[in-house]
Amino acid sequence: MTHLADLPVWAAIPVALFLLLGAALALIGSIGFVRLRSFYERVHAPTLGTSMGIGFVLLASMLCFTVLQSRLVLHEILIAVFMVVTTPITLMLLARAALYRDRTEGSDDVPAPPPVPPVESAVPPAPDSAPPV
């Protein structure tokens, strides 16, 4: 049994648009995942598609159930917070683990490590030879 037939047209149109936009962003992320070649290129497209796509789907859900239940429904905000926090963290952990693995194996596909800046001497410079006045 569904109560979506009770959803007014003024609310159904934005809900449908948000769902389509979220699905389109998820599709773009999936296409990017398939088309890009290396792991380091592939890791970005699904992350961006997931973050923005789930945001629009959750916005559509919030709007739909707020209108149907005649009260403000905010449960989806908790899901959005978890997605926004965990997705970039997962991206960083996966990328760093892959980078470490590839560098220890000596892979040629790995980006070069950043140059190490020169370390300044801890000894203060010698004072001028002129005596103090």
Side-chain angles (χ1 to χ4, degrees):
M1 304 291 284
T2 180
H3 299 287
L4 289 179
D6 299 335
L7 191 65
V9 174
W10 64 266
I13 291 173
V15 167
L17 290 176
F18 287 144
L19 282 174
L20 288 174
L21 191 57
L25 286 170
L27 178 65
I28 290 170
S30 300
I31 291 171
F33 183 72
V34 171
R35 289 197 62 193
L36 297 173
R37 290 182 296 274
S38 75
F39 173 79
Y40 302 103
E41 293 172 345
R42 283 184 172 184
V43 78
H44 292 287
T47 304
L48 296 174
T50 301
S51 297
M52 291 300 293
I54 198 72
F56 282 112
V57 170
L58 291 174
L59 191 61
S61 176
M62 286 174 58
L63 179 62
C64 176
F65 289 110
T66 296
V67 171
L68 286 177
Q69 295 179 5
S70 300
R71 65 181 178 89
L72 192 58
V73 176
L74 300 175
H75 300 100
E76 286 84 357
I77 290 178
L78 186 60
I79 298 170
V81 167
F82 286 138
M83 288 298 297
V84 167
V85 169
T86 59
T87 301
I89 292 172
T90 305
L91 162 74
M92 290 301 298
L93 290 174
L94 285 172
R96 286 185 180 189
L99 188 62
Y100 176 78
R101 181 199 63 209
D102 288 345
R103 282 188 180 157
T104 55
E105 291 177 354
S107 177
D108 294 332
D109 297 338
V110 180
V116 178
V119 179
E120 292 186 26
S121 175
V123 178
D128 292 338
S129 59
V133 178

